Amino acid sequence: NLRVTFIGVATLLFDDGETAIMTDGYFTRASQTALANVAPDRDRITRALARAGVKSLAAVIPVHSHFDHALDSPIVAQQTGALLVGSTSTANIGRGYGLAENRMRVPKDGETLKFGRFNVTFLKSAHLPNNYAMGEIEAPLAPPAKATDYKVGESYTLLVEHDGRTILIQGSAGFVPGALSGRKADVAYLGVGGLNTQNDAYREGYWREIVRAVGARRVVPIHWDNFFVTLDEPLVPGAGFEGSMQFVLASGQRDGVDIRMPVAWQAADPFAALK
């Protein structure tokens, strides 16, 4: 039986008892005062993986290459035997950390990769338009580095199909009009951080081009927490959380979409009681 565990920001663990895959795997939770000099904290990564019950992963998949997504991903790959799957920028983080080339994969737009009973499709998307650390990582990046050296690279929408049902993951509140045309998903794990900073037209476009485009009947908000707070503490909402959630709740009510907040560290059936 498929279980999904939310571990803050856009880190999601998918496990069906045979195979496990993870998005991002960001556990270091770098301090806001130390962003000139960030590096993965191996001890925190090890403890978080143990707490989540992870022994091995088939893949770790950063949805883009900002530090709050990809800082730890190559270490997670090293510790779990996972393939690091993401953009050329993500691969350059892997190279900087000494991850072997055969442990990395850069998928083409629209490509589907198979991990056990999971079929993961990579669709090029966009980041929330906030101009933070734009561009590509063009050479191997070794830590410690500035947080802004972890440039965004490609952003992906992921479609994770498992036993005939599909989950969408949108790690950042950006979208490309028409990119999901003809795609279907039952449940959307929807990045909501920063939605409060955008105007109504943008927010409506985001909901239309992601949630409505795939006909999702449930939305699970992610990337809503303050990612400078360590995972030893309970998750707390980040800035603008109320404004972002007000929009999501109102949109869900209007369109008959079930909105379900994830409980950190708690494995849940994403399709439970879905109409």
Side-chain angles (χ1 to χ4, degrees), residues 126-144:
H127 190 275
L128 176 86
N130 62 0
N131 287 324
Y132 178 77
M134 303 297 284
E136 306 278 334
I137 300 169
E138 289 172 351
L141 176 61

Side-chain angles (χ1 to χ4, degrees), residues 5-8 11 13 15 22 26-27 29 42-55 79-80 229-235 263-267:
T5 308
F6 170 64
I7 316 177
T11 294
L13 168 64
D15 192 342
M22 182 180 277
Y26 178 58
F27 305 120
R29 313 280 282 200
R42 285 174 184 269
D43 183 49
R44 286 184 180 180
I45 295 166
T46 301
R47 278 185 293 145
L49 289 169
R51 184 176 173 186
V54 173
K55 291 184 175 61
Q79 292 196 7
T80 62
V229 175
T230 79
L231 287 170
D232 298 327
E233 309 283 331
L235 295 190
V263 180
W265 301 102
Q266 194 169 299

Side-chain angles (χ1 to χ4, degrees), residues 213-232:
V214 297
R217 290 169 295 140
R218 171 172 292 154
V219 160
V220 182
I222 58 171
H223 210 331
W224 50 262
D225 52 308
N226 177 346
F227 51 76
F228 298 115
V229 175
T230 79
L231 287 170
D232 298 327

